[in-house]
Amino acid sequence: MRDVESQAREAKVVWQTLRLASTEKKNHFLHELERVLRSNISAIMEANAADVRDNPALTTAMRRRLELTKQSLVSIADSVRAIAELPDPVGAIAHS
């Protein structure tokens, strides 16, 4: 398992790349992510079930929160599509 500091360093690198990507490229990625999620629901559910099953340290409550269902994956894919349809916020200045 990676530590928080290495994850933060990786996130900073990804952010630099994402910041420079065009809206078209970001939306293409999001649409592709949606497609991959929808076309791999069964495989994702199987891998998730194995991960949850193979971790005896998880409490029942943790297992319930981590368990992915077909509906939860469809909801995630729907949310990814909805994000792609939003205006690109990168570089925008928010006024309150």
Side-chain angles (χ1 to χ4, degrees):
M1 182 180 287
R2 298 175 304 167
D3 64 26
V4 173
E5 286 183 22
S6 66
Q7 289 177 345
R9 281 191 295 275
E10 290 174 21
K12 187 173 182 179
V13 170
V14 171
W15 172 79
Q16 291 293 340
T17 302
L18 196 56
R19 181 176 68 88
L20 300 173
S22 69
T23 298
E24 181 180 278
K25 284 184 179 182
K26 288 183 269 189
N27 286 342
H28 175 75
F29 166 79
L30 290 168
H31 288 296
E32 184 64 12
L33 177 59
E34 176 197 4
R35 185 193 68 73
V36 169
L37 283 168
R38 289 186 194 281
S39 63
N40 290 286
I41 286 176
S42 294
I44 294 168
M45 287 174 54
E46 287 174 22
N48 174 255
D51 287 344
V52 171
R53 180 188 62 240
D54 295 343
N55 190 339
L58 295 175
T59 65
T60 301
M62 292 170 83
R63 288 176 192 282
R64 275 193 236 118
R65 285 194 301 273
L66 292 172
E67 185 178 75
L68 294 172
T69 64
K70 181 177 180 180
Q71 184 53 45
S72 66
L73 289 167
V74 167
S75 179
I76 292 167
D78 289 346
S79 296
V80 169
R81 181 179 2 98
I83 291 167
E85 293 170 359
L86 293 171
D88 187 353
V90 175
I93 298 173
H95 300 282
S96 56

